Amino acid sequence: MSNNELTVIDREGSTHRLEWEPDQTMMEALRDNDLPVLASCGGTASCATCHVFLDKEVFDTLGERSEDELELLVEAEGYQECGSRLSCQLDFSRELNGVTVTLAPED
Amino acid sequence: MREQTAIQDHMAHFASAATAPVVIVGAGHSGVAVAAGLRARGWKGGILLLDAEKETPYERPPLSKELLKAGAPDESAVLRKEKFYQDKRIQRVAGAAVESVDRQGRTVLLSDGSRHAYHRLVLATGSRARPLTVPGARLPGVQALRTRDDALELKRLLVAGTRVAIIGAGYIGLEVAAAAAAKGCNVTVLEFQDRVMSRVTSVPVSRHFEKLHERHGVRFVFGAAVTEIEGGQRAERVVTADGAVFHADVVLAGIGVIPNQELAAEAGLECRDGILVDEDCLTSDAAIYATGDVTRFTSPIDGASQRLECIQNAQAQADRVAAHITGQPAAAPEIPWFWTVQHGVRLQTAGVRRPEDDVIVRGDPAGGSFSVIYARDGRLAAVDTVAGLADFRPARKLIAQGALIDPGLAADPGVPLADTILDDPAPAHADLAPARI
Ligand SMILES: Cc1cc2nc3c(=O)[nH]c(=O)nc-3n(C[C@H](O)[C@H](O)[C@H](O)COP(=O)(O)OP(=O)(O)OC[C@H]3O[C@@H](n4cnc5c(N)ncnc54)[C@H](O)[C@@H]3O)c2cc1C
Ligand code: FES
């Protein structure tokens, strides 16, 4: 499988383009490309340092958020009901090729 | 001295690859985070990451959780894929322990006989399972859990019908108890104290988890002082001080950890149940840092001398090391946090509780999901959340602020935690940031 392209807007508003490899979660793609994603819990939906915003159209194509994910997000800085996701919970998928994600602010 | 090394740091940051690399001893959570953090902060010099273990550096939390589940693959999560180290020019030597440090010559000696020069040395050697020292502790079938190999061996031993005795009802012992029970083992937990997780949590949380485990068939024996493991070829029986005998095919000792500080101590660095470090994670040698489980330091939150055994601290200290080496400002100190999952129920803790703290139960434990608030001099000091994360993030912020809490309001789970805070005539520590989580 070939890589996905990902466009990332960081917390300063700068745009980065990166390759998202099939065996990575979105969090891993962000973190391993030096974006400031701490991922303190190693991707187990415990810390919310990997919080990102997606466009509503993209968000709507994704599955439901787990209870842990939702509870962490609701209390997170800038929570968007139809846009916030923990990027560690997003596996690689073809549908996500070319999407733009925005890093949520740290709190 | 410190100022001078800071200038050297700064120069080395822009210098050519001719200077010696930053050498990191230990490729666990903290060591790998130092390496990644240096590159993320623009460090151009060499990075040499050393570990006694052969494999790709891996995550420890899954070793007592996901990895032990029935049907789980033997491969568990790695910290970074191999390709990451190549892409980031992080050189690794795996499978050889560092045996000594020559501080004058600024080199380390490995067990394979090779010697490596360092520009800065980072000791991220972590901790090891405290060994059981009673007679019979070395019989086959007596296990500890720290490494991936330990976890794979344990996984192999935990089959349905096996009698498992767990010594110590801390996080690790209880996570293994849950995994073993789920696999149909017959599990007995022997604990010296009168409740589970007594070192880290309060009575209401202990009782809740005891009931949870008991519902899943785990048996607890409190006040149990193990005096001997008996058996012929293998462990067969655990004996306690009162003469009770527990039959067991597998014995897991989960009795805490001890810091791997020998390398530092032998090199003459100051240690006291942990390598002593300052707020930049520098040891008593200005060219040597220490980070993670192996360190002891003064809490910027309450001035206590502490050693923390959690991923959050391993990562936060690693970031301070990377910041200091590259001459950049570090992030504000963080509120420590930790999580454990037992029988699918998550306990997540923010802050460090003390036994003398006031305890406020928030919500009804019988309902399955609740929080416990720990207040010190009326201020929020720590929070345990059980099967619900709603209070977790607000708690971290409020603990960092040293917020004054209204105990009556805080006991009502219907009132958001942020709304239980009182006006503060004298704010406690406004300069602290919550963990960046
Ligand atoms: C089973 C288990 C479950 C856990 N679950 C959680 C959890 O859910 N949440 C949480 O926050 N924390 C958890 N922890 C604790 C967490 O894993 C540690 O706090 C963390 O690993 C500390 O990181 P570290 O880098 O300091 O040490 P480590 O990860 O222990 O790494 C130290 C490394 O140094 C190497 N080393 C030591 N001495 C030498 C030497 N002389 N030469 C070369 N290499 C050397 C070791 O081989 C090791 O790889 C768990 C720990 C275990 C064992
Ligand atoms: S990495 Fe911790 S929640 Fe995603």
Side-chain angles (χ1 to χ4, degrees), chain A residues 5-6 10-11 17 25 27 33 40 53 62-63 95 104 107:
Chain A
E5 295 265 319
L6 202 54
D10 69 19
R11 299 188 186 104
R17 258 177 249 293
T25 62
M27 175 276 279
N33 281 285
S40 321
F53 303 127
L62 300 168
E95 285 68 55
D107 54 12

Side-chain angles (χ1 to χ4, degrees), chain A residues 34-46:
Chain A
D34 289 340
L35 284 152
V37 171
L38 208 59
S40 321
C41 72
T44 59
S46 308

Side-chain angles (χ1 to χ4, degrees), chain B residues 204 360-373 391 409-414:
Chain B
I360 305 160
V361 179
R362 185 169 153 80
D364 181 10
S369 170
F370 66 105
S371 302
V372 177
I373 310 261
D391 287 342
L409 280 179
D412 180 352

